[in-house]
């Protein structure tokens, strides 16, 4: 059997780049953070539970539950001009927090995606078949990816002094990634060349930790302002598990290879500065760095038939960095007696990122975009409803890469009530 040169044709069921590494990394911290360029690592707040920096949990007043849903649309264009569009929705995060000591010591819990693998790429070509390999047959191969990793984070954030806050968490990372290759021969009579389905599923889990800090300086440039600096570091993580390769699907699937192994995730540093100009304006600027070029996995060493992990080898992974900035304006400040839209928050943000994956070793993939949104007050003082929007581009269709135009939005409800406060007798 001889395979003739064939042109690749890609179609979308998500971002093509989620085929590499451990999928597309997710970075949700809070509804407020998402609208401010997905940063705000130093921004103190009592209305949210920012997951990215546990030191910010120290300011909790309310027992809070937050849920967020996201809709994302991706328009993918390949180097040959072919394109595809996907619209999909997903759960962005579930968060719970409460104060042990009001505005001094807070507890935070969160469950949210850590990475997402969701793609479908097609390849079409011809193959020579028959005894003398003189008969040409068309084939179609589909490469699919599903699944991803999840993060469960729990920890404490406390106020050490009036200006210093520290926090720490225990992070459990777990999940599975399934990669499937389907090949069929649409123009060959049944029974001549059978279609094939090969699936490799990677299941892993592990534990790591994140520590964070926040420093506040009041009345720096004017009366009633606040300048803050914050940072967190997620320690390196070793995830252990197994990879399994099966042929065919469902009840007819045959397991042909199983291998135990590990993967090593790098540390990640997040740092930012936040400025509160009175009660009406907030400004943030943030950065992220993670040396993904140090990623290591041992699965392929145990069973070569399972193929490489990550796909394309470790040369498809680059160090990740990200810069973002944003601002929030609430016309009424903290005045609860102003009109509804004066108490609404208006947010804008922007970001640029060097992505940690690429399909072409040696070529960097950049992501640029803008964010924005509204934070609506409710009749309950600690509860807000947030609408967030995002738009951006990822990669380039030249020379042999793929370009994504993505846009979408999210809806988050953050419910806060005073549950454990004892009334004072007078």
């Amino acid at each position: 059997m001889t395979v003739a040169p064939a042109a690749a044709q890609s179609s979308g069921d998500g971002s093509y780049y989620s085929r590499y590494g451990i999928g597309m990394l997710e970075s949700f911290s809070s509804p407020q953070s998402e609208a401010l360029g997905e940063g705000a690592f130093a921004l103190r707040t009592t209305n949210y539970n920012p997951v990215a920096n546990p030191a910010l949990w120290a300011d909790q007043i309310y027992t809070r539950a937050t849920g967020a849903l996201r809709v994302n649309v991706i328009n993918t264009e390949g180097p040959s001009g072919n394109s595809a569009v996907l619209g999909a929705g997903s759960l962005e995060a579930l968060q719970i927090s409460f104060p042990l000591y009001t505005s001094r010591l807070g507890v935070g819990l969160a469950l949210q995606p850590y990475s997402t693998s969701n793609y479908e790429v097609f390849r079409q070509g011809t193959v020579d078949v028959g005894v003398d390999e003189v008969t040409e047959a068309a084939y179609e191969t589909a490469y699919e990816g599903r699944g991803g990793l999840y993060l469960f984070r729990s920890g404490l954030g406390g106020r050490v002094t009036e200006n210093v806050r520290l926090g720490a968490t225990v992070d459990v990372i777990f999940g599975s990634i399934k990669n499937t290759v389907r090949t069929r021969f649409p123009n060959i009579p049944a029974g001549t060349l059978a279609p094939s389905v090969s699936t490799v599923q990677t299941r892993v889990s592990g534990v790591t930790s994140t520590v964070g800090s926040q420093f506040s300086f009041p009345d720096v440039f004017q009366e009633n302002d606040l300048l803050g600096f914050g940072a967190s570091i997620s320690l390196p993580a070793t995830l252990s598990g197994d990879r399994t390769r099966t042929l065919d699907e469902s009840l007819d699937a045959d397991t042909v290879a199983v291998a135990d192994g590990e993967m090593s995730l790098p540390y990640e540093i997040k740092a930012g500065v936040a400025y509160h100009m009175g009660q009406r304006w907030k400004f943030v600027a943030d950065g992220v760095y993670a040396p993904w070029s140090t990623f290591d996995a041992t699965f392929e060493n145990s069973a070569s038939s399972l193929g490489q992990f990550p796909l394309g080898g470790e040369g498809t992974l680059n160090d990740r960095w990200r810069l973002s900035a944003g601002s929030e304006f609430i016309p009424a400040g903290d005045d609860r007696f102003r009109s509804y839209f004066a108490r609404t928050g208006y947010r804008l943000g922007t970001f640029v990122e060097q992505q940690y994956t690429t399909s072409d070793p040696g070529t960097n993939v950049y992501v640029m975009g803008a964010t924005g949104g509204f934070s609506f007050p409710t009749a309950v003082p600690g509860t807000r409803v947030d609408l967030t929007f995002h738009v951006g581009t990822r990669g380039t269709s030249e020379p042999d890469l793929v370009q994504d135009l993505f846009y979408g939005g999210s809806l988050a409800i953050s419910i806060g009530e005073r549950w454990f406060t004892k009334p004072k007798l007078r």
Side-chain angles (χ1 to χ4, degrees):
M1 179 183 295
T2 302
V3 178
Q9 182 182 23
S10 65
S11 180
D13 193 29
S15 176
Y16 167 77
Y17 292 105
S18 71
R19 189 182 183 195
Y20 298 92
I22 59 172
M24 301 297 296
L25 298 179
E26 306 290 344
S27 56
F28 182 86
S29 178
S30 72
Q32 183 183 43
S33 165
E34 189 174 34
L36 299 178
E38 297 183 358
F41 306 138
L43 185 63
R44 289 171 52 186
T45 176
T46 60
N47 288 323
Y48 304 97
N49 182 38
V51 172
N53 186 354
L56 299 175
W57 299 351
D59 291 315
Q60 295 300 311
I61 295 176
Y62 304 100
T63 296
R64 181 171 303 284
T66 301
L69 297 174
R70 181 170 184 159
V71 174
N72 196 42
V73 178
I74 300 177
N75 189 328
T76 299
E77 181 177 347
S80 59
N82 52 302
S83 62
V85 178
L86 164 76
S90 61
L91 175 66
E92 200 162 31
L94 293 174
Q95 301 174 346
I96 297 175
S97 64
F98 56 90
L100 291 179
Y101 298 96
T102 301
S103 299
R104 293 186 60 90
L105 181 64
V107 175
L109 304 168
L111 175 64
Q112 59 195 59
Y114 183 85
S115 71
T116 302
S117 180
N118 184 26
Y119 67 87
E120 187 170 5
V121 179
F122 292 95
R123 183 179 180 88
Q124 297 176 332
T126 59
V127 60
D128 294 332
V129 298
V131 178
D132 299 323
E133 295 188 348
V134 296
T135 302
E136 191 175 81
Y139 73 88
E140 297 177 355
T141 300
Y143 303 87
E144 302 173 4
R146 298 291 184 271
L149 304 183
Y150 285 86
L151 169 67
F152 176 73
R153 174 167 289 178
S154 60
L156 296 170
R159 189 181 72 188
V160 181
T161 69
E162 190 64 33
N163 300 327
V164 178
R165 288 156 178 79
L166 301 176
T169 69
V170 175
D171 304 335
V172 180
I173 302 173
F174 63 96
S176 67
I177 300 172
K178 181 185 292 186
N179 304 105
T180 302
V181 180
R182 308 173 188 271
T183 301
R184 71 185 190 96
F185 303 89
N187 300 324
I188 296 296
T192 304
L193 288 175
S196 65
V197 179
S198 175
T199 300
V200 176
Q201 185 164 12
T202 305
R203 303 180 183 89
V204 292
S205 62
V207 179
T208 184
S209 181
T210 297
V211 293
S213 61
Q214 201 276 348
F215 304 88
S216 300
F217 302 92
D219 303 329
V220 176
F221 301 109
Q222 63 182 39
E223 189 177 358
N224 295 324
D225 73 353
L226 184 69
L227 180 64
F229 299 91
S232 68
I233 178 170
S234 295
L235 302 180
T238 298
L239 309 185
S240 59
D242 60 74
R243 299 189 80 205
T244 303
R245 183 187 179 196
T246 58
L247 298 179
D248 294 327
E249 292 184 295
S250 188
L251 298 178
D252 297 326
D254 295 323
T255 301
V256 296
V258 178
D260 296 329
E262 295 180 341
M263 66 173 71
S264 299
L265 307 185
Y267 67 84
E268 182 176 68
I269 297 175
K270 298 178 179 178
V273 57
Y275 180 62
H276 302 243
M277 193 166 68
Q279 300 296 328
R280 301 171 65 192
W281 282 98
K282 298 180 179 68
F283 302 91
V284 298
D286 302 272
V288 179
Y289 175 75
W292 277 92
S293 60
T294 64
F295 177 92
D296 184 44
T298 61
F299 296 103
E300 68 274 16
N301 298 329
S302 302
S304 59
S305 63
L306 290 169
Q308 288 183 310
F309 188 89
L311 182 68
E314 294 170 9
T316 59
L317 301 184
N318 297 320
D319 292 348
R320 175 181 181 246
W321 57 260
R322 194 176 198 276
L323 299 174
S324 63
S327 63
E328 177 183 271
F329 175 58
I330 302 179
D334 58 358
D335 187 349
R336 298 179 182 177
F337 299 100
R338 294 282 299 277
S339 67
Y340 183 82
F341 289 105
R343 292 181 288 119
T344 297
Y346 303 89
R347 299 163 178 162
L348 285 175
T350 185
F351 62 88
V352 60
E353 174 183 339
Q354 178 177 285
Q355 188 172 275
Y356 86 108
T357 60
T358 178
S359 59
D360 182 19
T363 302
N364 295 327
V365 174
Y366 296 98
V367 187
M368 293 177 286
T371 60
F374 306 94
S375 179
F376 300 105
T378 67
V380 181
T383 298
R384 298 189 76 89
V385 177
D386 293 85
L387 284 176
T388 302
F389 310 96
H390 63 271
V391 61
T393 62
R394 178 188 297 109
T396 174
S397 57
E398 300 294 339
D400 295 313
L401 299 177
V402 169
Q403 184 175 47
D404 292 338
L405 169 63
F406 58 88
Y407 54 92
S410 66
L411 171 65
I413 300 177
S414 184
I415 301 172
E417 293 185 351
R418 295 178 183 266
W419 281 9
F420 304 111
T421 301
K422 293 181 179 181
K424 296 181 180 180
L425 298 177
R426 295 184 179 181

